[in-house]
Coordinates of all heavy atoms in Angstrom, one line a residue:
L220 N -2.2 1.9 9.6 CA -2.0 2.5 8.3 C -2.6 3.9 8.3 O -2.1 4.8 7.6 CB -2.6 1.7 7.2 CG -1.9 0.3 6.9 CD1 -2.6 -0.5 5.9 CD2 -0.4 0.5 6.6
Y221 N -3.6 4.1 9.1 CA -4.2 5.4 9.2 C -3.2 6.4 9.6 O -3.1 7.5 9.0 CB -5.4 5.4 10.1 CG -6.1 6.7 10.3 CD1 -7.1 7.1 9.5 CD2 -5.7 7.6 11.3 CE1 -7.7 8.3 9.6 CE2 -6.4 8.8 11.5 CZ -7.4 9.2 10.6 OH -8.0 10.4 10.8
S222 N -2.5 6.1 10.7 CA -1.5 7.1 11.2 C -0.3 7.3 10.2 O 0.2 8.4 10.1 CB -1.0 6.7 12.6 OG -0.3 5.4 12.5
L223 N 0.0 6.2 9.5 CA 1.1 6.3 8.5 C 0.7 7.3 7.4 O 1.4 8.2 7.0 CB 1.4 5.0 7.9 CG 2.6 4.9 7.0 CD1 3.9 5.3 7.7 CD2 2.7 3.5 6.4
A224 N -0.5 7.1 6.9 CA -1.1 8.0 5.9 C -1.2 9.5 6.4 O -0.8 10.4 5.7 CB -2.4 7.6 5.4
A225 N -1.6 9.6 7.6 CA -1.7 11.0 8.2 C -0.4 11.6 8.4 O -0.2 12.8 8.1 CB -2.5 10.9 9.5
E226 N 0.6 10.9 8.9 CA 1.9 11.4 9.2 C 2.8 11.7 8.0 O 3.4 12.7 7.9 CB 2.6 10.5 10.2 CG 2.0 10.5 11.6 CD 2.7 9.4 12.4 OE1 3.7 8.9 12.1 OE2 2.0 9.0 13.5
K227 N 2.8 10.7 7.1 CA 3.7 10.8 6.0 C 3.2 11.5 4.8 O 3.9 12.1 4.0 CB 4.2 9.3 5.5 CG 4.9 8.6 6.6 CD 6.3 9.1 6.9 CE 7.0 8.3 7.9 NZ 8.3 8.8 8.2
I228 N 1.9 11.4 4.6 CA 1.2 12.0 3.4 C 0.5 13.3 3.8 O 0.4 14.2 3.0 CB 0.3 11.0 2.7 CG1 1.2 9.8 2.2 CG2 -0.4 11.6 1.5 CD1 0.5 8.7 1.7
G229 N 0.0 13.3 5.0 CA -0.7 14.4 5.4 C -2.2 14.4 5.2 O -3.0 15.3 5.5
V230 N -2.7 13.3 4.6 CA -4.1 13.1 4.2 C -4.5 11.7 4.7 O -4.2 10.7 3.9 CB -4.3 13.3 2.7 CG1 -5.8 13.1 2.4 CG2 -3.8 14.6 2.2
P231 N -5.1 11.5 5.8 CA -5.4 10.2 6.3 C -6.4 9.4 5.4 O -6.4 8.2 5.4 CB -6.1 10.4 7.7 CG -6.4 11.9 7.8 CD -5.5 12.6 6.8
Q232 N -7.1 10.1 4.6 CA -8.1 9.5 3.6 C -7.4 8.7 2.6 O -8.0 7.9 1.9 CB -9.0 10.5 3.0 CG -10.0 11.1 3.9 CD -9.4 12.3 4.7 OE1 -8.2 12.6 4.6 NE2 -10.2 13.0 5.4
T233 N -6.0 8.8 2.4 CA -5.3 8.0 1.5 C -4.9 6.7 2.0 O -4.2 5.9 1.3 CB -4.0 8.8 1.0 OG1 -3.2 9.0 2.2 CG2 -4.3 10.1 0.3
M234 N -5.4 6.3 3.2 CA -5.1 5.0 3.8 C -5.5 3.9 2.9 O -4.7 2.9 2.8 CB -5.8 4.9 5.2 CG -5.5 3.6 5.8 SD -6.5 3.4 7.3 CE -8.2 3.3 6.7
N235 N -6.6 4.0 2.2 CA -7.0 2.9 1.4 C -6.1 2.7 0.2 O -5.7 1.5 -0.1 CB -8.5 3.1 0.9 CG -8.6 4.4 0.1 OD1 -7.8 5.3 0.1 ND2 -9.7 4.5 -0.7
I236 N -5.6 3.7 -0.4 CA -4.6 3.6 -1.5 C -3.3 3.1 -1.0 O -2.6 2.2 -1.6 CB -4.5 4.9 -2.3 CG1 -5.8 5.4 -2.8 CG2 -3.5 4.8 -3.4 CD1 -6.5 4.5 -3.8
L237 N -2.9 3.6 0.2 CA -1.6 3.1 0.8 C -1.7 1.6 1.0 O -0.8 0.8 0.8 CB -1.4 3.9 2.1 CG -0.1 3.7 2.8 CD1 0.3 5.0 3.5 CD2 0.0 2.5 3.7
S238 N -2.9 1.2 1.5 CA -3.1 -0.3 1.8 C -3.1 -1.1 0.5 O -2.5 -2.2 0.5 CB -4.5 -0.5 2.4 OG -4.6 0.2 3.7
L239 N -3.6 -0.6 -0.6 CA -3.5 -1.3 -1.8 C -2.0 -1.5 -2.3 O -1.7 -2.5 -2.8 CB -4.3 -0.6 -2.9 CG -5.8 -0.6 -2.9 CD1 -6.4 0.3 -3.9 CD2 -6.3 -2.1 -3.0
G240 N -1.2 -0.4 -2.1 CA 0.2 -0.5 -2.4 C 0.9 -1.6 -1.6 O 1.7 -2.4 -2.1
A241 N 0.6 -1.6 -0.3 CA 1.2 -2.6 0.6 C 0.8 -4.0 0.2 O 1.6 -4.9 0.2 CB 0.8 -2.3 2.1
L242 N -0.5 -4.2 0.0 CA -1.0 -5.5 -0.4 C -0.4 -6.0 -1.7 O -0.1 -7.1 -1.8 CB -2.6 -5.4 -0.5 CG -3.3 -6.7 -0.7 CD1 -3.1 -7.7 0.5 CD2 -4.8 -6.5 -0.9
A243 N -0.3 -5.1 -2.7 CA 0.3 -5.5 -3.9 C 1.8 -5.9 -3.8 O 2.2 -6.9 -4.4 CB 0.3 -4.3 -4.9
A244 N 2.5 -5.2 -2.9 CA 3.9 -5.5 -2.7 C 4.1 -6.9 -2.0 O 5.0 -7.6 -2.2 CB 4.6 -4.4 -1.9
I245 N 3.2 -7.1 -1.0 CA 3.3 -8.3 -0.2 C 2.8 -9.6 -1.0 O 3.5 -10.6 -1.0 CB 2.4 -8.2 1.0 CG1 3.1 -7.2 2.0 CG2 2.3 -9.6 1.8 CD1 2.2 -6.7 3.1
T246 N 1.7 -9.5 -1.7 CA 1.2 -10.6 -2.4 C 1.6 -10.8 -3.9 O 1.6 -11.9 -4.4 CB -0.4 -10.5 -2.4 OG1 -0.8 -9.4 -3.2 CG2 -0.9 -10.5 -1.0
G247 N 2.0 -9.7 -4.5 CA 2.3 -9.8 -5.9 C 1.1 -10.0 -6.8 O 1.2 -10.3 -8.0
I248 N -0.1 -9.7 -6.2 CA -1.3 -10.0 -7.0 C -1.5 -9.0 -8.2 O -2.2 -9.3 -9.1 CB -2.5 -9.9 -6.0 CG1 -3.8 -10.5 -6.6 CG2 -2.8 -8.5 -5.6 CD1 -4.9 -10.8 -5.7
V249 N -0.9 -7.9 -8.1 CA -0.9 -6.9 -9.2 C 0.5 -6.2 -9.2 O 1.1 -6.0 -8.2 CB -2.1 -5.9 -9.0 CG1 -1.9 -5.0 -7.8 CG2 -2.2 -5.0 -10.2
S250 N 0.9 -5.9 -10.4 CA 2.2 -5.3 -10.5 C 2.2 -3.8 -10.0 O 1.1 -3.2 -10.1 CB 2.8 -5.3 -11.9 OG 2.0 -4.4 -12.7
P251 N 3.3 -3.3 -9.5 CA 3.3 -1.9 -9.1 C 2.9 -1.0 -10.3 O 2.2 0.0 -10.1 CB 4.7 -1.6 -8.7 CG 5.2 -3.0 -8.2 CD 4.5 -3.9 -9.1
A252 N 3.4 -1.3 -11.5 CA 3.0 -0.5 -12.7 C 1.5 -0.4 -12.9 O 1.0 0.6 -13.2 CB 3.8 -1.0 -13.9
A253 N 0.9 -1.6 -12.8 CA -0.5 -1.7 -13.1 C -1.3 -0.9 -12.0 O -2.3 -0.2 -12.3 CB -1.0 -3.1 -13.1
L254 N -0.8 -1.0 -10.8 CA -1.5 -0.2 -9.7 C -1.3 1.3 -9.9 O -2.3 2.0 -9.8 CB -0.9 -0.6 -8.3 CG -1.6 0.0 -7.1 CD1 -3.1 -0.3 -7.1 CD2 -0.9 -0.6 -5.9
R255 N -0.2 1.7 -10.3 CA 0.0 3.1 -10.6 C -0.9 3.6 -11.7 O -1.5 4.7 -11.6 CB 1.5 3.4 -10.9 CG 2.5 3.3 -9.8 CD 3.9 3.6 -10.3 NE 4.8 3.2 -9.3 CZ 5.6 2.1 -9.4 NH1 5.6 1.3 -10.4 NH2 6.4 1.8 -8.4
K256 N -1.0 2.8 -12.7 CA -1.8 3.1 -13.9 C -3.3 3.2 -13.5 O -4.0 4.2 -13.8 CB -1.7 2.1 -15.0 CG -2.5 2.4 -16.2 CD -2.2 1.4 -17.3 CE -3.1 1.7 -18.5 NZ -2.9 0.6 -19.6
A257 N -3.7 2.3 -12.6 CA -5.1 2.3 -12.1 C -5.4 3.6 -11.3 O -6.4 4.2 -11.5 CB -5.4 1.1 -11.3
V258 N -4.4 3.9 -10.5 CA -4.6 5.1 -9.7 C -4.7 6.4 -10.6 O -5.5 7.2 -10.4 CB -3.5 5.3 -8.6 CG1 -3.5 6.6 -7.9 CG2 -3.7 4.2 -7.5
K259 N -3.8 6.5 -11.5 CA -3.8 7.6 -12.5 C -5.1 7.7 -13.2 O -5.7 8.8 -13.4 CB -2.7 7.5 -13.5 CG -1.3 7.8 -12.9 CD -0.3 7.6 -14.0 CE 1.1 7.7 -13.4 NZ 2.2 7.5 -14.4
N260 N -5.7 6.6 -13.6 CA -7.0 6.6 -14.3 C -8.2 6.7 -13.5 O -9.2 7.2 -14.0 CB -7.1 5.3 -15.2 CG -6.0 5.2 -16.3 OD1 -5.6 6.2 -16.8 ND2 -5.7 4.0 -16.7
R261 N -8.1 6.4 -12.2 CA -9.3 6.3 -11.4 C -9.4 7.3 -10.3 O -10.5 7.6 -9.7 CB -9.5 4.9 -10.8 CG -9.6 3.8 -11.8 CD -10.8 3.8 -12.6 NE -11.9 3.6 -11.7 CZ -13.2 3.6 -12.0 NH1 -13.6 3.8 -13.2 NH2 -14.1 3.4 -11.1
A262 N -8.3 8.0 -9.9 CA -8.3 8.9 -8.8 C -9.2 10.1 -9.1 O -9.2 10.6 -10.3 CB -6.9 9.4 -8.5
P263 N -9.9 10.6 -8.2 CA -10.7 11.8 -8.4 C -9.8 13.0 -8.9 O -8.6 13.1 -8.5 CB -11.3 12.2 -7.1 CG -11.3 10.9 -6.3 CD -10.1 10.1 -6.8
K264 N -10.4 13.8 -9.7 CA -9.6 15.0 -10.3 C -9.0 15.8 -9.2 O -9.6 16.1 -8.2 CB -10.6 15.8 -11.1 CG -9.9 16.9 -11.9 CD -10.8 17.6 -12.8 CE -10.1 18.6 -13.7 NZ -10.9 19.2 -14.7
G265 N -7.7 16.1 -9.3 CA -7.0 16.9 -8.3 C -6.4 16.1 -7.2 O -5.7 16.7 -6.4
T266 N -6.6 14.8 -7.2 CA -6.0 14.0 -6.1 C -5.0 12.9 -6.7 O -4.4 12.1 -5.9 CB -7.1 13.2 -5.4 OG1 -7.7 12.2 -6.3 CG2 -8.2 14.1 -4.8
T267 N -4.7 13.0 -7.9 CA -3.8 12.0 -8.5 C -2.4 11.9 -7.9 O -1.9 10.9 -7.5 CB -3.6 12.2 -10.0 OG1 -4.9 12.2 -10.6 CG2 -2.7 11.1 -10.7
E268 N -1.8 13.1 -7.7 CA -0.4 13.1 -7.2 C -0.4 12.6 -5.7 O 0.5 11.8 -5.4 CB 0.2 14.5 -7.2 CG 0.5 15.0 -8.7 CD 1.4 14.0 -9.4 OE1 2.4 13.6 -8.9 OE2 1.1 13.7 -10.6
I269 N -1.3 13.0 -4.9 CA -1.3 12.6 -3.5 C -1.6 11.1 -3.4 O -1.0 10.4 -2.6 CB -2.3 13.4 -2.6 CG1 -2.0 13.3 -1.2 CG2 -3.7 13.0 -2.9 CD1 -1.0 14.2 -0.7
N270 N -2.5 10.6 -4.3 CA -2.7 9.1 -4.3 C -1.5 8.3 -4.8 O -1.3 7.2 -4.3 CB -4.0 8.8 -5.1 CG -5.2 9.1 -4.3 OD1 -5.5 8.5 -3.3 ND2 -6.1 10.0 -4.8
L271 N -0.8 8.9 -5.8 CA 0.4 8.2 -6.2 C 1.5 8.2 -5.2 O 2.2 7.2 -5.0 CB 0.9 8.8 -7.5 CG 0.1 8.6 -8.8 CD1 0.7 9.4 -9.9 CD2 0.2 7.1 -9.2
K272 N 1.5 9.2 -4.4 CA 2.4 9.2 -3.2 C 2.0 8.2 -2.2 O 2.9 7.5 -1.7 CB 2.4 10.6 -2.6 CG 3.4 10.8 -1.5 CD 3.4 12.3 -1.0 CE 4.3 12.5 0.2 NZ 4.2 13.8 0.7
A273 N 0.8 8.0 -2.0 CA 0.3 6.9 -1.1 C 0.6 5.5 -1.6 O 1.0 4.7 -0.9 CB -1.2 7.1 -0.9
V274 N 0.5 5.3 -2.9 CA 0.8 4.0 -3.5 C 2.3 3.7 -3.3 O 2.6 2.6 -2.9 CB 0.5 4.0 -5.1 CG1 1.2 2.9 -5.7 CG2 -1.0 4.0 -5.3
E275 N 3.1 4.7 -3.6 CA 4.6 4.5 -3.4 C 4.9 4.2 -1.9 O 5.7 3.3 -1.7 CB 5.4 5.7 -3.9 CG 5.2 6.0 -5.4 CD 5.6 4.8 -6.2 OE1 6.6 4.1 -5.9 OE2 4.9 4.6 -7.3
L276 N 4.3 4.9 -1.0 CA 4.6 4.6 0.4 C 4.1 3.2 0.8 O 4.8 2.5 1.5 CB 3.9 5.7 1.3 CG 4.1 5.5 2.8 CD1 5.6 5.6 3.2 CD2 3.3 6.7 3.5
G277 N 2.9 2.9 0.3 CA 2.4 1.5 0.5 C 3.3 0.4 -0.1 O 3.5 -0.6 0.6
L278 N 3.8 0.6 -1.3 CA 4.7 -0.3 -1.9 C 6.0 -0.5 -1.1 O 6.4 -1.6 -0.9 CB 5.0 0.1 -3.3 CG 3.9 0.0 -4.4 CD1 4.3 0.7 -5.6 CD2 3.6 -1.5 -4.6
R279 N 6.5 0.6 -0.6 CA 7.7 0.5 0.2 C 7.4 -0.2 1.5 O 8.2 -1.1 2.0 CB 8.3 1.9 0.5 CG 9.0 2.5 -0.7 CD 9.8 3.8 -0.3 NE 9.1 4.8 0.4 CZ 8.3 5.8 -0.2 NH1 8.3 5.8 -1.5 NH2 7.7 6.6 0.6
R280 N 6.3 0.1 2.2 CA 6.0 -0.5 3.5 C 5.7 -2.0 3.2 O 6.1 -2.8 4.0 CB 4.7 0.2 4.0 CG 4.3 -0.4 5.3 CD 5.3 0.0 6.4 NE 4.7 -0.5 7.7 CZ 5.3 -0.9 8.7 NH1 6.6 -1.0 8.6 NH2 4.7 -1.3 9.8
G281 N 5.0 -2.3 2.2 CA 4.7 -3.7 1.9 C 5.9 -4.5 1.6 O 6.1 -5.7 2.0
K282 N 6.9 -3.9 0.9 CA 8.1 -4.6 0.6 C 8.9 -4.9 1.9 O 9.4 -6.0 2.1 CB 9.0 -3.7 -0.3 CG 10.3 -4.4 -0.7 CD 11.1 -3.5 -1.6 CE 12.5 -4.1 -1.9 NZ 13.3 -3.3 -2.7
S283 N 8.9 -3.9 2.8 CA 9.5 -4.1 4.1 C 8.9 -5.3 4.9 O 9.5 -6.1 5.5 CB 9.4 -2.8 4.9 OG 9.9 -3.0 6.2
I284 N 7.5 -5.3 4.9 CA 6.8 -6.4 5.5 C 7.1 -7.7 4.9 O 7.3 -8.7 5.6 CB 5.3 -6.1 5.5 CG1 5.0 -4.9 6.5 CG2 4.5 -7.3 6.0 CD1 3.6 -4.4 6.3
A285 N 7.1 -7.8 3.6 CA 7.4 -9.0 2.8 C 8.8 -9.6 3.2 O 8.9 -10.8 3.3 CB 7.2 -8.8 1.3
E286 N 9.7 -8.7 3.3 CA 11.1 -9.1 3.6 C 11.1 -9.7 5.0 O 11.8 -10.7 5.3 CB 12.1 -7.9 3.5 CG 12.3 -7.5 2.1 CD 13.1 -6.2 1.9 OE1 13.3 -5.6 2.9 OE2 13.4 -5.9 0.8
K287 N 10.4 -9.1 6.0 CA 10.3 -9.7 7.3 C 9.6 -11.1 7.3 O 9.9 -11.9 8.1 CB 9.5 -8.8 8.2 CG 10.2 -7.5 8.6 CD 9.3 -6.6 9.5 CE 10.0 -5.3 9.7 NZ 9.1 -4.4 10.5
M288 N 8.7 -11.3 6.4 CA 8.0 -12.5 6.3 C 8.8 -13.6 5.5 O 8.3 -14.7 5.3 CB 6.6 -12.3 5.6 CG 5.7 -11.5 6.4 SD 4.2 -11.0 5.5 CE 3.8 -12.4 4.5
N289 N 9.9 -13.2 4.9 CA 10.7 -14.0 4.1 C 9.9 -14.5 2.9 O 9.9 -15.7 2.5 CB 11.3 -15.2 4.8 CG 12.3 -14.8 5.8 OD1 13.1 -13.9 5.6 ND2 12.3 -15.5 7.0
R290 N 9.0 -13.6 2.4 CA 8.1 -13.9 1.2 C 7.1 -15.0 1.5 O 6.6 -15.5 0.5 CB 9.0 -14.2 0.0 CG 9.9 -13.1 -0.4 CD 9.1 -12.0 -1.1 NE 10.0 -11.0 -1.5 CZ 9.6 -9.8 -1.8 NH1 8.4 -9.5 -1.7 NH2 10.5 -8.8 -2.1
K291 N 6.9 -15.4 2.7 CA 5.8 -16.3 3.0 C 4.5 -15.6 3.1 O 4.4 -14.5 3.6 CB 6.1 -17.1 4.3 CG 7.3 -17.9 4.2 CD 7.6 -18.6 5.6 CE 8.9 -19.3 5.6 NZ 9.2 -19.8 6.9
R292 N 3.5 -16.2 2.5 CA 2.2 -15.6 2.6 C 1.6 -15.8 4.0 O 1.8 -16.9 4.5 CB 1.3 -16.2 1.5 CG 1.7 -15.8 0.2 CD 0.8 -16.3 -0.9 NE 1.4 -16.0 -2.2 CZ 0.7 -15.8 -3.2 NH1 -0.6 -15.9 -3.2 NH2 1.3 -15.5 -4.4
P293 N 1.0 -14.8 4.5 CA 0.4 -15.0 5.9 C -0.8 -16.0 5.8 O -1.5 -16.1 4.8 CB -0.1 -13.6 6.2 CG -0.3 -12.9 4.9 CD 0.7 -13.5 4.0
E294 N -0.9 -16.8 6.9 CA -2.0 -17.7 7.0 C -3.4 -17.0 7.1 O -4.4 -17.4 6.5 CB -1.9 -18.6 8.2 CG -0.7 -19.6 8.1 CD -0.5 -20.4 9.3 OE1 -1.5 -20.6 10.1 OE2 0.7 -20.8 9.6
K295 N -3.4 -15.9 7.8 CA -4.6 -15.1 7.9 C -4.2 -13.6 7.7 O -3.1 -13.2 8.1 CB -5.2 -15.3 9.3 CG -5.7 -16.6 9.6 CD -6.3 -16.7 10.9 CE -6.9 -18.1 11.2 NZ -7.5 -18.1 12.5
I296 N -5.1 -12.9 7.1 CA -4.8 -11.5 6.8 C -4.7 -10.7 8.1 O -3.9 -9.8 8.2 CB -6.0 -10.9 6.0 CG1 -5.5 -9.6 5.3 CG2 -7.2 -10.6 6.8 CD1 -4.5 -9.7 4.3
S297 N -5.3 -11.2 9.2 CA -5.1 -10.5 10.5 C -3.7 -10.6 11.0 O -3.2 -9.6 11.7 CB -6.0 -11.1 11.6 OG -5.7 -12.5 11.8
R298 N -3.0 -11.6 10.6 CA -1.5 -11.7 11.0 C -0.7 -10.6 10.3 O 0.2 -10.1 10.8 CB -1.0 -13.0 10.8 CG -1.5 -14.1 11.7 CD -0.8 -15.3 11.7 NE -1.4 -16.3 12.5 CZ -1.0 -17.5 12.7 NH1 0.1 -17.9 12.2 NH2 -1.6 -18.3 13.5
L299 N -1.1 -10.4 9.0 CA -0.4 -9.4 8.2 C -0.6 -8.0 8.9 O 0.3 -7.2 9.0 CB -1.0 -9.4 6.8 CG -0.6 -8.3 5.9 CD1 0.9 -8.3 5.6 CD2 -1.4 -8.3 4.6
L300 N -1.8 -7.7 9.3 CA -2.1 -6.4 9.9 C -1.4 -6.2 11.2 O -1.2 -5.0 11.6 CB -3.6 -6.2 10.1 CG -4.4 -6.3 8.8 CD1 -5.9 -6.2 9.1 CD2 -4.0 -5.1 7.9
Q301 N -1.0 -7.2 11.9 CA -0.3 -7.1 13.2 C 1.2 -6.7 13.0 O 1.9 -6.4 13.9 CB -0.4 -8.4 14.0 CG -1.8 -8.7 14.4 CD -1.9 -10.1 15.0 OE1 -0.9 -10.9 15.1 NE2 -3.1 -10.4 15.5
M302 N 1.7 -6.9 11.8 CA 3.1 -6.6 11.5 C 3.4 -5.1 11.5 O 2.7 -4.3 11.3 CB 3.6 -7.3 10.2 CG 3.4 -8.8 10.3 SD 4.0 -9.5 8.8 CE 5.5 -10.3 9.5

């Protein structure tokens, strides 16, 4: 995810937000709308747009992973990271 954040967003420090988007898409633990709202409310001043871009990229990546998994939850989080 580090390289994805660096290549697609240009800021590798957004990896954590990108990861949250992917996790939300895979697990459904939080809605995309709630995640976007949280990022808007909590991102440091001046970083909101780049963090929202990271959320969107993470959501797309997570959706792709979830489709490969046929919506089955991974037995271990380490298996998720290997995809």
